[in-house]
Amino acid sequence: MLPLTPFAVDIARHSGGTVVSVAGDLDLETCARLTEAMDALTPDRGETVTLDLMAVTFMGTEALHLLLGLRARARAERWALHLSGVPYLGRRVLELTGMRHLFVFRPGRTPGVPDLRGS
C-alpha cells in the first residue's frame, strides 16, 4: 500500500504575487478546505496568484470545479490565476474537457519563488 500524502495548503506572499502550494489529494473533502483557504485570500487588483499543484497526488472532478470557480473569481476581482506543477492527469482532464486554454500554466516552480515544501 502506498503511503498517503497528508493534505496541506501553504500560502506565501512575496513581491511577485502569492503562491498557494497544495499537497495531497484534491477530492470532495479537500477541495472544500482549499476553497476556505482561497476565500481567505484578498489578492490586490492586478496581482498574480499561482496555484502550485506539484505535490498533488490525485485530482477528482471536484478539483475541476474548484479551478473553474477560482478562474471566475479571479476574472471578477481582476487578479490573475496561474497554475504551476499541474500533474499529468490533471492537465489531461483539462485537455479532454476543452478547458486547458482557460488557464495560464507556469512550468514547474515559479522563478524567484522559494521552495515552499522545504525540499
Side-chain angles (χ1 to χ4, degrees), residues 7-89:
F7 182 78
V9 176
D10 185 33
I11 299 173
R13 287 188 174 254
H14 56 88
S15 61
T18 300
V19 176
V20 179
S21 298
V22 183
D25 291 353
L26 271 177
D27 55 23
L28 182 61
E29 177 187 339
T30 59
C31 279
R33 292 172 54 194
L34 178 55
T35 298
E36 288 176 15
M38 294 299 293
D39 285 349
L41 280 181
T42 54
D44 295 328
R45 180 179 236 166
E47 182 178 347
T48 297
V49 175
T50 301
L51 191 58
D52 181 355
L53 303 174
M54 189 174 290
V56 169
T57 51
F58 170 80
M59 291 177 68
T61 56
E62 298 84 5
L64 182 59
H65 292 285
L66 172 78
L67 292 175
L68 291 172
L70 286 174
R71 179 183 181 273
R73 177 181 167 205
R75 290 173 56 91
E77 296 177 7
R78 298 183 186 257
W79 48 271
L81 175 66
H82 292 185
L83 304 180
S84 174
V86 180
Y88 170 77
L89 291 177

